[in-house]
Amino acid sequence: MMMKKVLVGLVLLLALAFGGYQLVAVLSYGGTTYYTKVTTGGERISPQDDKGRHYTDYRYHLTGYDEKGHSRMLDFNANKARPLKQGAYLKLVYNTKKKALRAGKPWTASTSRSAP
């Protein structure tokens, strides 16, 4: 009987820990989702890493739209050595606390969403 109580307590503890982790993830990384279409080749930039090495990246300034159709100018880097494919659709999440964008799951115009 004691082993059963310990097992139930352990399962509850793991469930609470997982729920807390999910809450932190939503608060830290969640935000408003915007959809945009790559319409330019981006601006080629050559930033420096912490060790002084240069690398190639591309900066974009594109208009994104939220679920309600409100627009916002999105400034972000592609973090790739080549430009993003023109005509590609992107899903970006803007975190108001961190004032940062992160890429969401990719999507295409052929899914249930209409193009922005």
Side-chain angles (χ1 to χ4, degrees):
M1 190 60 126
M2 181 67 162
M3 187 65 152
K4 192 175 187 180
K5 288 182 181 180
V6 170
L7 185 59
V8 169
L10 184 60
V11 168
L12 287 174
L13 182 65
L14 287 174
L16 284 173
F18 182 74
Y21 173 77
Q22 292 299 322
L23 180 64
V24 168
V26 166
L27 294 176
S28 297
Y29 300 109
T32 306
T33 300
Y34 290 93
Y35 301 91
T36 189
K37 182 177 181 180
V38 179
T39 56
T40 68
E43 172 191 348
R44 184 180 173 148
I45 58 174
S46 212
Q48 221 174 352
D49 65 13
D50 294 340
K51 295 183 180 180
R53 297 177 293 207
H54 288 274
Y55 60 96
T56 302
D57 202 351
Y58 288 85
R59 179 173 292 142
Y60 292 86
H61 307 284
L62 300 171
T63 303
Y65 299 89
D66 65 13
E67 293 284 341
K68 296 178 182 175
H70 300 114
S71 65
R72 179 185 193 118
M73 183 55 68
L74 305 173
D75 297 317
F76 61 96
N77 292 349
N79 297 326
K80 292 186 175 243
R82 58 179 170 70
L84 296 173
K85 183 178 178 181
Q86 286 198 29
Y89 293 95
L90 303 176
K91 178 180 177 181
L92 303 168
V93 178
Y94 181 72
N95 185 310
T96 54
K97 289 183 181 180
K98 293 185 177 185
K99 305 283 186 211
L101 280 170
R102 70 174 174 84
K105 295 179 183 175
W107 63 282
T108 62
S110 62
T111 62
S112 61
R113 299 194 189 280
S114 60

PDB file of all heavy atoms in Angstrom, residues 79-108:
ATOM      1  N   ASN A  79      19.271  33.817 -40.326  1.00  0.00           N
ATOM      2  CA  ASN A  79      20.220  32.882 -39.716  1.00  0.00           C
ATOM      3  C   ASN A  79      20.598  31.766 -40.669  1.00  0.00           C
ATOM      4  O   ASN A  79      20.690  30.605 -40.296  1.00  0.00           O
ATOM      5  CB  ASN A  79      19.678  32.313 -38.402  1.00  0.00           C
ATOM      6  CG  ASN A  79      19.484  33.387 -37.360  1.00  0.00           C
ATOM      7  OD1 ASN A  79      20.247  34.337 -37.305  1.00  0.00           O
ATOM      8  ND2 ASN A  79      18.465  33.247 -36.557  1.00  0.00           N
ATOM      9  N   LYS A  80      20.790  32.126 -41.929  1.00  0.00           N
ATOM     10  CA  LYS A  80      21.233  31.192 -42.965  1.00  0.00           C
ATOM     11  C   LYS A  80      22.272  31.887 -43.815  1.00  0.00           C
ATOM     12  O   LYS A  80      22.284  33.098 -43.953  1.00  0.00           O
ATOM     13  CB  LYS A  80      20.061  30.762 -43.857  1.00  0.00           C
ATOM     14  CG  LYS A  80      19.039  29.913 -43.153  1.00  0.00           C
ATOM     15  CD  LYS A  80      18.005  29.431 -44.146  1.00  0.00           C
ATOM     16  CE  LYS A  80      17.068  28.480 -43.454  1.00  0.00           C
ATOM     17  NZ  LYS A  80      17.105  27.165 -43.996  1.00  0.00           N
ATOM     18  N   ALA A  81      23.157  31.106 -44.411  1.00  0.00           N
ATOM     19  CA  ALA A  81      24.206  31.661 -45.264  1.00  0.00           C
ATOM     20  C   ALA A  81      23.687  31.971 -46.662  1.00  0.00           C
ATOM     21  O   ALA A  81      24.421  32.480 -47.496  1.00  0.00           O
ATOM     22  CB  ALA A  81      25.376  30.687 -45.349  1.00  0.00           C
ATOM     23  N   ARG A  82      22.438  31.684 -46.910  1.00  0.00           N
ATOM     24  CA  ARG A  82      21.838  31.978 -48.214  1.00  0.00           C
ATOM     25  C   ARG A  82      20.495  32.663 -47.976  1.00  0.00           C
ATOM     26  O   ARG A  82      19.896  32.514 -46.909  1.00  0.00           O
ATOM     27  CB  ARG A  82      21.640  30.695 -49.018  1.00  0.00           C
ATOM     28  CG  ARG A  82      20.767  29.678 -48.317  1.00  0.00           C
ATOM     29  CD  ARG A  82      20.563  28.422 -49.154  1.00  0.00           C
ATOM     30  NE  ARG A  82      19.935  27.368 -48.404  1.00  0.00           N
ATOM     31  CZ  ARG A  82      18.680  27.346 -47.986  1.00  0.00           C
ATOM     32  NH1 ARG A  82      17.897  28.381 -48.227  1.00  0.00           N
ATOM     33  NH2 ARG A  82      18.190  26.328 -47.318  1.00  0.00           N
ATOM     34  N   PRO A  83      20.011  33.423 -48.960  1.00  0.00           N
ATOM     35  CA  PRO A  83      18.729  34.103 -48.759  1.00  0.00           C
ATOM     36  C   PRO A  83      17.570  33.103 -48.704  1.00  0.00           C
ATOM     37  O   PRO A  83      17.664  31.991 -49.232  1.00  0.00           O
ATOM     38  CB  PRO A  83      18.610  35.021 -49.973  1.00  0.00           C
ATOM     39  CG  PRO A  83      19.598  34.550 -50.958  1.00  0.00           C
ATOM     40  CD  PRO A  83      20.630  33.749 -50.229  1.00  0.00           C
ATOM     41  N   LEU A  84      16.481  33.521 -48.058  1.00  0.00           N
ATOM     42  CA  LEU A  84      15.279  32.698 -48.030  1.00  0.00           C
ATOM     43  C   LEU A  84      14.669  32.645 -49.428  1.00  0.00           C
ATOM     44  O   LEU A  84      14.826  33.575 -50.226  1.00  0.00           O
ATOM     45  CB  LEU A  84      14.263  33.294 -47.054  1.00  0.00           C
ATOM     46  CG  LEU A  84      14.677  33.329 -45.587  1.00  0.00           C
ATOM     47  CD1 LEU A  84      13.649  34.108 -44.770  1.00  0.00           C
ATOM     48  CD2 LEU A  84      14.849  31.926 -45.036  1.00  0.00           C
ATOM     49  N   LYS A  85      13.976  31.579 -49.704  1.00  0.00           N
ATOM     50  CA  LYS A  85      13.356  31.407 -51.015  1.00  0.00           C
ATOM     51  C   LYS A  85      12.230  32.422 -51.195  1.00  0.00           C
ATOM     52  O   LYS A  85      11.327  32.501 -50.362  1.00  0.00           O
ATOM     53  CB  LYS A  85      12.810  29.986 -51.142  1.00  0.00           C
ATOM     54  CG  LYS A  85      12.215  29.683 -52.473  1.00  0.00           C
ATOM     55  CD  LYS A  85      11.738  28.242 -52.523  1.00  0.00           C
ATOM     56  CE  LYS A  85      11.101  27.957 -53.862  1.00  0.00           C
ATOM     57  NZ  LYS A  85      10.609  26.584 -53.929  1.00  0.00           N
ATOM     58  N   GLN A  86      12.316  33.200 -52.270  1.00  0.00           N
ATOM     59  CA  GLN A  86      11.261  34.182 -52.524  1.00  0.00           C
ATOM     60  C   GLN A  86       9.958  33.464 -52.814  1.00  0.00           C
ATOM     61  O   GLN A  86       9.928  32.443 -53.482  1.00  0.00           O
ATOM     62  CB  GLN A  86      11.662  35.092 -53.681  1.00  0.00           C
ATOM     63  CG  GLN A  86      12.728  36.082 -53.255  1.00  0.00           C
ATOM     64  CD  GLN A  86      12.846  37.244 -54.205  1.00  0.00           C
ATOM     65  OE1 GLN A  86      11.898  37.643 -54.846  1.00  0.00           O
ATOM     66  NE2 GLN A  86      14.048  37.807 -54.276  1.00  0.00           N
ATOM     67  N   GLY A  87       8.883  33.996 -52.261  1.00  0.00           N
ATOM     68  CA  GLY A  87       7.571  33.383 -52.408  1.00  0.00           C
ATOM     69  C   GLY A  87       7.232  32.430 -51.276  1.00  0.00           C
ATOM     70  O   GLY A  87       6.107  31.964 -51.180  1.00  0.00           O
ATOM     71  N   ALA A  88       8.208  32.131 -50.405  1.00  0.00           N
ATOM     72  CA  ALA A  88       7.961  31.228 -49.279  1.00  0.00           C
ATOM     73  C   ALA A  88       7.135  31.954 -48.221  1.00  0.00           C
ATOM     74  O   ALA A  88       7.277  33.152 -48.023  1.00  0.00           O
ATOM     75  CB  ALA A  88       9.282  30.756 -48.680  1.00  0.00           C
ATOM     76  N   TYR A  89       6.284  31.208 -47.542  1.00  0.00           N
ATOM     77  CA  TYR A  89       5.482  31.752 -46.453  1.00  0.00           C
ATOM     78  C   TYR A  89       6.150  31.411 -45.132  1.00  0.00           C
ATOM     79  O   TYR A  89       6.651  30.312 -44.950  1.00  0.00           O
ATOM     80  CB  TYR A  89       4.066  31.184 -46.487  1.00  0.00           C
ATOM     81  CG  TYR A  89       3.287  31.637 -47.691  1.00  0.00           C
ATOM     82  CD1 TYR A  89       3.235  30.853 -48.829  1.00  0.00           C
ATOM     83  CD2 TYR A  89       2.616  32.854 -47.684  1.00  0.00           C
ATOM     84  CE1 TYR A  89       2.527  31.267 -49.942  1.00  0.00           C
ATOM     85  CE2 TYR A  89       1.908  33.273 -48.788  1.00  0.00           C
ATOM     86  CZ  TYR A  89       1.863  32.475 -49.918  1.00  0.00           C
ATOM     87  OH  TYR A  89       1.168  32.901 -51.010  1.00  0.00           O
ATOM     88  N   LEU A  90       6.144  32.379 -44.206  1.00  0.00           N
ATOM     89  CA  LEU A  90       6.757  32.183 -42.901  1.00  0.00           C
ATOM     90  C   LEU A  90       5.742  32.425 -41.796  1.00  0.00           C
ATOM     91  O   LEU A  90       4.875  33.289 -41.921  1.00  0.00           O
ATOM     92  CB  LEU A  90       7.926  33.155 -42.699  1.00  0.00           C
ATOM     93  CG  LEU A  90       9.060  33.127 -43.706  1.00  0.00           C
ATOM     94  CD1 LEU A  90      10.060  34.222 -43.377  1.00  0.00           C
ATOM     95  CD2 LEU A  90       9.721  31.767 -43.714  1.00  0.00           C
ATOM     96  N   LYS A  91       5.895  31.674 -40.730  1.00  0.00           N
ATOM     97  CA  LYS A  91       5.117  31.881 -39.518  1.00  0.00           C
ATOM     98  C   LYS A  91       6.107  32.313 -38.449  1.00  0.00           C
ATOM     99  O   LYS A  91       7.028  31.576 -38.117  1.00  0.00           O
ATOM    100  CB  LYS A  91       4.417  30.585 -39.102  1.00  0.00           C
ATOM    101  CG  LYS A  91       3.616  30.697 -37.829  1.00  0.00           C
ATOM    102  CD  LYS A  91       2.958  29.353 -37.516  1.00  0.00           C
ATOM    103  CE  LYS A  91       2.214  29.396 -36.217  1.00  0.00           C
ATOM    104  NZ  LYS A  91       1.607  28.085 -35.906  1.00  0.00           N
ATOM    105  N   LEU A  92       5.948  33.537 -37.938  1.00  0.00           N
ATOM    106  CA  LEU A  92       6.862  34.094 -36.957  1.00  0.00           C
ATOM    107  C   LEU A  92       6.092  34.445 -35.689  1.00  0.00           C
ATOM    108  O   LEU A  92       4.953  34.888 -35.757  1.00  0.00           O
ATOM    109  CB  LEU A  92       7.537  35.349 -37.516  1.00  0.00           C
ATOM    110  CG  LEU A  92       8.295  35.158 -38.829  1.00  0.00           C
ATOM    111  CD1 LEU A  92       8.658  36.499 -39.421  1.00  0.00           C
ATOM    112  CD2 LEU A  92       9.521  34.319 -38.614  1.00  0.00           C
ATOM    113  N   VAL A  93       6.724  34.253 -34.542  1.00  0.00           N
ATOM    114  CA  VAL A  93       6.092  34.566 -33.262  1.00  0.00           C
ATOM    115  C   VAL A  93       6.848  35.736 -32.640  1.00  0.00           C
ATOM    116  O   VAL A  93       8.066  35.672 -32.459  1.00  0.00           O
ATOM    117  CB  VAL A  93       6.103  33.351 -32.319  1.00  0.00           C
ATOM    118  CG1 VAL A  93       5.483  33.713 -30.979  1.00  0.00           C
ATOM    119  CG2 VAL A  93       5.364  32.180 -32.951  1.00  0.00           C
ATOM    120  N   TYR A  94       6.122  36.814 -32.325  1.00  0.00           N
ATOM    121  CA  TYR A  94       6.723  38.001 -31.728  1.00  0.00           C
ATOM    122  C   TYR A  94       6.426  38.003 -30.233  1.00  0.00           C
ATOM    123  O   TYR A  94       5.277  38.004 -29.816  1.00  0.00           O
ATOM    124  CB  TYR A  94       6.162  39.274 -32.374  1.00  0.00           C
ATOM    125  CG  TYR A  94       6.759  40.529 -31.809  1.00  0.00           C
ATOM    126  CD1 TYR A  94       8.070  40.876 -32.105  1.00  0.00           C
ATOM    127  CD2 TYR A  94       6.036  41.359 -30.973  1.00  0.00           C
ATOM    128  CE1 TYR A  94       8.637  42.029 -31.580  1.00  0.00           C
ATOM    129  CE2 TYR A  94       6.584  42.510 -30.450  1.00  0.00           C
ATOM    130  CZ  TYR A  94       7.891  42.843 -30.761  1.00  0.00           C
ATOM    131  OH  TYR A  94       8.443  43.970 -30.244  1.00  0.00           O
ATOM    132  N   ASN A  95       7.473  37.990 -29.420  1.00  0.00           N
ATOM    133  CA  ASN A  95       7.354  38.008 -27.971  1.00  0.00           C
ATOM    134  C   ASN A  95       7.488  39.445 -27.507  1.00  0.00           C
ATOM    135  O   ASN A  95       8.549  40.054 -27.636  1.00  0.00           O
ATOM    136  CB  ASN A  95       8.441  37.126 -27.341  1.00  0.00           C
ATOM    137  CG  ASN A  95       8.293  37.002 -25.850  1.00  0.00           C
ATOM    138  OD1 ASN A  95       8.147  37.985 -25.149  1.00  0.00           O
ATOM    139  ND2 ASN A  95       8.347  35.775 -25.372  1.00  0.00           N
ATOM    140  N   THR A  96       6.424  40.015 -26.963  1.00  0.00           N
ATOM    141  CA  THR A  96       6.430  41.423 -26.564  1.00  0.00           C
ATOM    142  C   THR A  96       7.352  41.687 -25.378  1.00  0.00           C
ATOM    143  O   THR A  96       7.893  42.778 -25.250  1.00  0.00           O
ATOM    144  CB  THR A  96       5.013  41.900 -26.216  1.00  0.00           C
ATOM    145  OG1 THR A  96       4.456  41.033 -25.228  1.00  0.00           O
ATOM    146  CG2 THR A  96       4.117  41.890 -27.433  1.00  0.00           C
ATOM    147  N   LYS A  97       7.545  40.711 -24.492  1.00  0.00           N
ATOM    148  CA  LYS A  97       8.427  40.906 -23.343  1.00  0.00           C
ATOM    149  C   LYS A  97       9.892  40.979 -23.772  1.00  0.00           C
ATOM    150  O   LYS A  97      10.654  41.792 -23.278  1.00  0.00           O
ATOM    151  CB  LYS A  97       8.251  39.776 -22.331  1.00  0.00           C
ATOM    152  CG  LYS A  97       6.937  39.818 -21.597  1.00  0.00           C
ATOM    153  CD  LYS A  97       6.847  38.724 -20.574  1.00  0.00           C
ATOM    154  CE  LYS A  97       5.501  38.778 -19.878  1.00  0.00           C
ATOM    155  NZ  LYS A  97       5.366  37.743 -18.868  1.00  0.00           N
ATOM    156  N   LYS A  98      10.277  40.113 -24.693  1.00  0.00           N
ATOM    157  CA  LYS A  98      11.666  40.071 -25.141  1.00  0.00           C
ATOM    158  C   LYS A  98      11.906  40.928 -26.375  1.00  0.00           C
ATOM    159  O   LYS A  98      13.028  41.106 -26.803  1.00  0.00           O
ATOM    160  CB  LYS A  98      12.079  38.629 -25.450  1.00  0.00           C
ATOM    161  CG  LYS A  98      12.119  37.762 -24.221  1.00  0.00           C
ATOM    162  CD  LYS A  98      12.653  36.401 -24.564  1.00  0.00           C
ATOM    163  CE  LYS A  98      12.772  35.557 -23.316  1.00  0.00           C
ATOM    164  NZ  LYS A  98      13.392  34.272 -23.575  1.00  0.00           N
ATOM    165  N   LYS A  99      10.833  41.434 -26.958  1.00  0.00           N
ATOM    166  CA  LYS A  99      10.922  42.219 -28.191  1.00  0.00           C
ATOM    167  C   LYS A  99      11.711  41.445 -29.253  1.00  0.00           C
ATOM    168  O   LYS A  99      12.612  41.963 -29.883  1.00  0.00           O
ATOM    169  CB  LYS A  99      11.575  43.584 -27.951  1.00  0.00           C
ATOM    170  CG  LYS A  99      10.910  44.411 -26.884  1.00  0.00           C
ATOM    171  CD  LYS A  99       9.652  45.022 -27.402  1.00  0.00           C
ATOM    172  CE  LYS A  99       9.083  45.972 -26.364  1.00  0.00           C
ATOM    173  NZ  LYS A  99       7.688  46.066 -26.373  1.00  0.00           N
ATOM    174  N   ALA A 100      11.371  40.166 -29.404  1.00  0.00           N
ATOM    175  CA  ALA A 100      12.113  39.309 -30.320  1.00  0.00           C
ATOM    176  C   ALA A 100      11.165  38.449 -31.135  1.00  0.00           C
ATOM    177  O   ALA A 100      10.053  38.145 -30.719  1.00  0.00           O
ATOM    178  CB  ALA A 100      13.068  38.414 -29.540  1.00  0.00           C
ATOM    179  N   LEU A 101      11.632  38.064 -32.302  1.00  0.00           N
ATOM    180  CA  LEU A 101      10.903  37.171 -33.187  1.00  0.00           C
ATOM    181  C   LEU A 101      11.548  35.803 -33.164  1.00  0.00           C
ATOM    182  O   LEU A 101      12.753  35.675 -33.016  1.00  0.00           O
ATOM    183  CB  LEU A 101      10.965  37.681 -34.635  1.00  0.00           C
ATOM    184  CG  LEU A 101      10.012  38.785 -35.012  1.00  0.00           C
ATOM    185  CD1 LEU A 101      10.386  39.323 -36.379  1.00  0.00           C
ATOM    186  CD2 LEU A 101       8.585  38.313 -35.032  1.00  0.00           C
ATOM    187  N   ARG A 102      10.740  34.775 -33.332  1.00  0.00           N
ATOM    188  CA  ARG A 102      11.274  33.433 -33.548  1.00  0.00           C
ATOM    189  C   ARG A 102      10.411  32.778 -34.602  1.00  0.00           C
ATOM    190  O   ARG A 102       9.241  33.089 -34.767  1.00  0.00           O
ATOM    191  CB  ARG A 102      11.310  32.621 -32.265  1.00  0.00           C
ATOM    192  CG  ARG A 102       9.972  32.202 -31.741  1.00  0.00           C
ATOM    193  CD  ARG A 102      10.113  31.274 -30.534  1.00  0.00           C
ATOM    194  NE  ARG A 102       8.830  30.995 -29.953  1.00  0.00           N
ATOM    195  CZ  ARG A 102       8.003  30.049 -30.380  1.00  0.00           C
ATOM    196  NH1 ARG A 102       8.343  29.294 -31.391  1.00  0.00           N
ATOM    197  NH2 ARG A 102       6.844  29.868 -29.801  1.00  0.00           N
ATOM    198  N   ALA A 103      11.014  31.868 -35.329  1.00  0.00           N
ATOM    199  CA  ALA A 103      10.289  31.174 -36.387  1.00  0.00           C
ATOM    200  C   ALA A 103       9.370  30.133 -35.784  1.00  0.00           C
ATOM    201  O   ALA A 103       9.719  29.448 -34.838  1.00  0.00           O
ATOM    202  CB  ALA A 103      11.267  30.516 -37.353  1.00  0.00           C
ATOM    203  N   GLY A 104       8.186  30.030 -36.335  1.00  0.00           N
ATOM    204  CA  GLY A 104       7.253  28.993 -35.934  1.00  0.00           C
ATOM    205  C   GLY A 104       7.308  27.857 -36.937  1.00  0.00           C
ATOM    206  O   GLY A 104       8.215  27.762 -37.752  1.00  0.00           O
ATOM    207  N   LYS A 105       6.320  27.007 -36.898  1.00  0.00           N
ATOM    208  CA  LYS A 105       6.254  25.901 -37.840  1.00  0.00           C
ATOM    209  C   LYS A 105       5.977  26.445 -39.230  1.00  0.00           C
ATOM    210  O   LYS A 105       5.137  27.323 -39.411  1.00  0.00           O
ATOM    211  CB  LYS A 105       5.151  24.928 -37.431  1.00  0.00           C
ATOM    212  CG  LYS A 105       5.434  24.242 -36.115  1.00  0.00           C
ATOM    213  CD  LYS A 105       4.308  23.319 -35.740  1.00  0.00           C
ATOM    214  CE  LYS A 105       4.582  22.693 -34.385  1.00  0.00           C
ATOM    215  NZ  LYS A 105       3.462  21.879 -33.921  1.00  0.00           N
ATOM    216  N   PRO A 106       6.677  25.944 -40.248  1.00  0.00           N
ATOM    217  CA  PRO A 106       6.444  26.439 -41.614  1.00  0.00           C
ATOM    218  C   PRO A 106       5.049  26.042 -42.096  1.00  0.00           C
ATOM    219  O   PRO A 106       4.488  25.057 -41.650  1.00  0.00           O
ATOM    220  CB  PRO A 106       7.528  25.753 -42.435  1.00  0.00           C
ATOM    221  CG  PRO A 106       7.990  24.615 -41.623  1.00  0.00           C
ATOM    222  CD  PRO A 106       7.699  24.923 -40.199  1.00  0.00           C
ATOM    223  N   TRP A 107       4.516  26.810 -42.989  1.00  0.00           N
ATOM    224  CA  TRP A 107       3.220  26.503 -43.564  1.00  0.00           C
ATOM    225  C   TRP A 107       3.211  26.958 -45.003  1.00  0.00           C
ATOM    226  O   TRP A 107       4.072  27.712 -45.441  1.00  0.00           O
ATOM    227  CB  TRP A 107       2.095  27.157 -42.760  1.00  0.00           C
ATOM    228  CG  TRP A 107       2.140  28.654 -42.744  1.00  0.00           C
ATOM    229  CD1 TRP A 107       2.947  29.440 -41.997  1.00  0.00           C
ATOM    230  CD2 TRP A 107       1.375  29.538 -43.548  1.00  0.00           C
ATOM    231  NE1 TRP A 107       2.722  30.753 -42.269  1.00  0.00           N
ATOM    232  CE2 TRP A 107       1.759  30.841 -43.208  1.00  0.00           C
ATOM    233  CE3 TRP A 107       0.401  29.358 -44.505  1.00  0.00           C
ATOM    234  CZ2 TRP A 107       1.203  31.966 -43.814  1.00  0.00           C
ATOM    235  CZ3 TRP A 107      -0.161  30.472 -45.094  1.00  0.00           C
ATOM    236  CH2 TRP A 107       0.247  31.753 -44.742  1.00  0.00           C
ATOM    237  N   THR A 108       2.273  26.493 -45.766  1.00  0.00           N
ATOM    238  CA  THR A 108       2.168  26.881 -47.166  1.00  0.00           C
ATOM    239  C   THR A 108       0.766  27.392 -47.442  1.00  0.00           C
ATOM    240  O   THR A 108      -0.169  27.136 -46.686  1.00  0.00           O
ATOM    241  CB  THR A 108       2.450  25.681 -48.098  1.00  0.00           C
ATOM    242  OG1 THR A 108       1.455  24.688 -47.856  1.00  0.00           O
ATOM    243  CG2 THR A 108       3.831  25.110 -47.857  1.00  0.00           C
TER     244      THR A 108
END
